[in-house]
Amino acid sequence: MSATHIPNTASATGEDNPFKDSPAKGLICRACQTTYGLVAQHACWNCFGPLEVDYDLAKLAKVTREDIEAGPQNQWRYAPLLPCGVEESDRVTLNPGLTPLIEADNLAKALGMRKLWVKDDSANPTHSFKDRVVSTALTAAVKLGFNRFACASTGNLANSVAAHAARAGFPSVVFIPHDLEPGKVITTAVYGGSLVSVEGSYDDVNRLCSELTETDDFEKTAFVNVNIRPYYAEGSKTLGYEVAEQLGWRLPEQVVVPMASGELLTKIHKAFEESVEIGLVPEAKVKVYGAQSAGCSPIATAFAADTDEITPVKPKGIAKSLNIGDPAAGPYAIESVRASGGDMAAVNDDEIREGMRLLASTTGVFPETAGGVVVATLRKLLEAGSLDPQAETVIYNTGDGLKTLDAVSSLVGPTHNVKPSLKSAKEAGLLES
Ligand SMILES: *Cc1c(COP(=O)(O)O)cnc(C)c1O
Ligand SMILES: [Zn+2]
């Protein structure tokens, strides 16, 4: 029945709150509502449910648009709405955020939509939205006493953790599945640190990392998405606040978000609701739509079957950054989408490639496979009639196409081949007269 409070040595309400000026009051179990202090823990001792950050709403409500606008030109302008404190000097960060919100008029026209925006998070320092969650997690990690950084990654997280460790001068140990795109392996390895290729899927990598956190050797190692996951997850909220601010402090009517673990979607939805609750934007309901690849669609499949029981799958297909077969936040993503009145869909590899090309050729934004998943899903939901072409829509591009070149390399290339002469140019059809 009623929720219990498990006291902890680092209780947020006591003197030991590690995060000065934080609006967070502790962690709370998403399943049974048991509360904890602001500690390095991700699962509930009562029911093994996932823990998330619990805020003091009165403190959040004190934050004004003006406070935020006076902040730095990066995600830390939302620090008063994040758990890890507002002191600039103790941040572990590449200062991600304030990425472009692009008016996608040509794409809107191609799809028969009235108003469409692309939130382009490939513009972050390591070219994916993961810089937001990693900056948030590692800033918390150092204050919680960790001295080494780690993660279980589908690719972009590996880039970001290795780069943050390099900037801050900390050692890192990054774990990836052995079959990642070369573009993601090289762009991680170049930062230095240990890069561990694991013979298995992401879900195997994740399990290994969970086991490592239990060992003495890894006691002081912060796995951003494992033992300090509650702090990591909160960084995704900035993708909600930022869209609200960039639209002139109001919410869009529909958003389309890619899903791997389902955390990003859940937290964007949470940020929209919080923005209304604390008075940053006028009351509005945003329909949230989830996008997956058909090669790995455990969340969309459960949603379509009208259940929140996720059946884990063995991931396949080119959208490797989304290839999580046993998604931790899957049930919460389903809850968010259902509560918002949205929908989900999954798209195959050919549709993903076509989505990548369509976004690039209509907006100048070259997305990675995950962005292709979003564009193809947008198209599919429009065709199915579950997404309204007349409603103002924001789609999230979370990563950069330069990291997943193989996905489109067979599809595009030079359109003409000529010798360096006018004669040859004419023969190739470049001259009419
Ligand atoms: C990690 C990732 C996602 C999804 O993140 P979750 O929070 O696990 O759902 C989406 N897009 C890209 C490019 C990613 O790297
Ligand atoms: Zn619980």
Side-chain angles (χ1 to χ4, degrees):
M1 45 143 265
S2 83
T4 43
H5 176 74
I6 298 182
N8 211 293
T9 47
S11 165
T13 46
E15 303 264 296
D16 304 332
N17 182 350
F19 310 116
K20 200 164 166 280
D21 300 323
S22 168
K25 56 180 184 187
L27 302 179
I28 186 166
C29 174
R30 280 171 169 178
C32 76
Q33 271 74 53
T34 299
T35 57
Y36 298 82
L38 285 166
V39 291
Q41 189 178 334
H42 70 294
C44 177
W45 287 330
N46 274 352
C47 75
F48 302 107
L51 302 184
E52 72 175 337
V53 175
D54 191 15
Y55 291 94
D56 180 339
L57 207 60
K59 276 192 190 161
L60 288 184
K62 288 208 185 86
V63 180
T64 65
R65 293 176 185 179
E66 292 72 26
D67 295 336
I68 293 169
E69 286 163 1
Q73 296 296 313
N74 55 55
Q75 77 166 15
W76 295 112
R77 63 208 279 107
Y78 309 107
L81 305 171
L82 294 173
C84 47
V86 297
E87 276 167 296
E88 197 178 333
S89 57
D90 346 309
R91 283 179 196 145
V92 174
T93 188
L94 305 176
N95 292 316
L98 273 202
T99 55
L101 180 69
I102 298 164
E103 265 187 293
D105 292 347
N106 297 332
L107 180 57
K109 198 178 287 174
L111 296 173
M113 298 181 73
R114 185 180 62 80
K115 190 78 210 168
L116 180 61
W117 305 84
V118 178
K119 177 61 173 167
D120 183 21
D121 238 28
S122 70
N124 278 316
T126 72
H127 309 281
S128 84
F129 96 91
K130 291 296 200 298
D131 289 333
R132 298 173 183 270
V133 285
V134 170
S135 277
T136 310
L138 292 180
T139 296
V142 168
K143 295 181 183 184
L144 288 166
F146 290 99
N147 60 21
R148 183 165 64 159
F149 304 156
C151 67
S153 176
T154 57
N156 287 312
L157 193 58
N159 285 189
S160 187
V161 169
H164 277 76
R167 175 76 63 91
F170 278 74
S172 66
V173 200
V174 161
F175 295 81
I176 55 172
H178 66 104
D179 61 349
L180 272 197
E181 300 94 337
K184 293 212 172 126
V185 178
I186 295 160
T187 53
T188 301
V190 73
Y191 296 116
S194 300
L195 175 58
V196 185
S197 171
V198 180
E199 284 175 39
S201 68
Y202 168 82
D203 300 281
D204 298 321
V205 174
N206 192 50
R207 197 170 332 107
L208 172 62
C209 289
S210 289
E211 287 170 16
L212 286 170
T213 62
E214 303 295 321
T215 66
D216 289 345
D217 286 335
F218 281 81
E219 198 189 2
K220 292 265 178 229
T221 302
F223 284 82
V224 296
N225 56 338
V226 185
N227 53 356
I228 56 165
R229 190 173 177 91
Y231 306 97
Y232 161 92
E234 292 304 293
S236 289
K237 289 199 306 181
T238 61
L239 263 168
Y241 302 135
E242 224 169 89
V243 161
E245 183 178 0
Q246 288 174 317
L247 287 175
W249 292 116
R250 61 185 185 83
L251 298 179
E253 297 176 89
Q254 306 177 134
V255 295
V256 186
V257 185
M259 299 185 294
S261 70
E263 203 75 75
L264 171 65
L265 180 145
T266 309
K267 295 299 177 182
I268 287 175
H269 181 239
K270 181 179 177 189
F272 289 154
E273 291 194 330
E274 252 176 34
S275 301
V276 171
E277 229 169 326
I278 66 177
L280 289 176
V281 296
E283 173 81 49
K285 235 173 130 41
V286 186
K287 289 189 175 177
V288 179
Y289 295 83
Q292 288 206 295
S293 101
C296 181
S297 61
I299 310 177
T301 301
F303 183 89
D306 208 15
T307 167
D308 44 21
E309 292 278 311
I310 308 269
T311 306
V313 301
K314 210 171 147 37
K316 291 193 279 288
I318 61 169
K320 295 187 184 203
S321 60
L322 303 182
N323 276 354
I324 297 185
D326 191 3
Y332 303 98
I334 289 174
E335 199 178 292
S336 294
V337 170
R338 217 176 264 146
S340 80
D343 197 359
M344 294 190 187
V347 289
N348 68 35
D349 284 358
D350 285 338
E351 293 170 315
I352 295 167
R353 291 190 185 92
E354 215 29 74
M356 293 169 74
R357 187 155 74 166
L358 181 61
L359 188 68
S361 63
T362 55
T363 66
V365 172
F366 177 24
E368 77 144 77
T369 47
V373 168
V374 166
V375 174
T377 297
L378 169 67
R379 185 175 226 169
K380 187 165 243 173
L381 292 168
L382 281 166
E383 281 162 9
S386 66
L387 191 140
D388 180 0
Q390 292 305 314
E392 182 174 37
T393 304
V394 175
I395 60 174
Y396 285 91
N397 176 43
T398 46
D400 192 323
L402 291 174
K403 292 192 206 175
T404 60
L405 286 176
D406 279 357
V408 286
S409 60
S410 64
L411 223 64
V412 294
T415 57
H416 300 77
N417 290 293
V418 301
K419 295 192 181 67
S421 71
L422 285 179
K423 181 168 169 276
S424 176
K426 186 167 170 123
E427 281 164 7
L430 290 174
L431 297 169
E432 279 176 14
S433 58

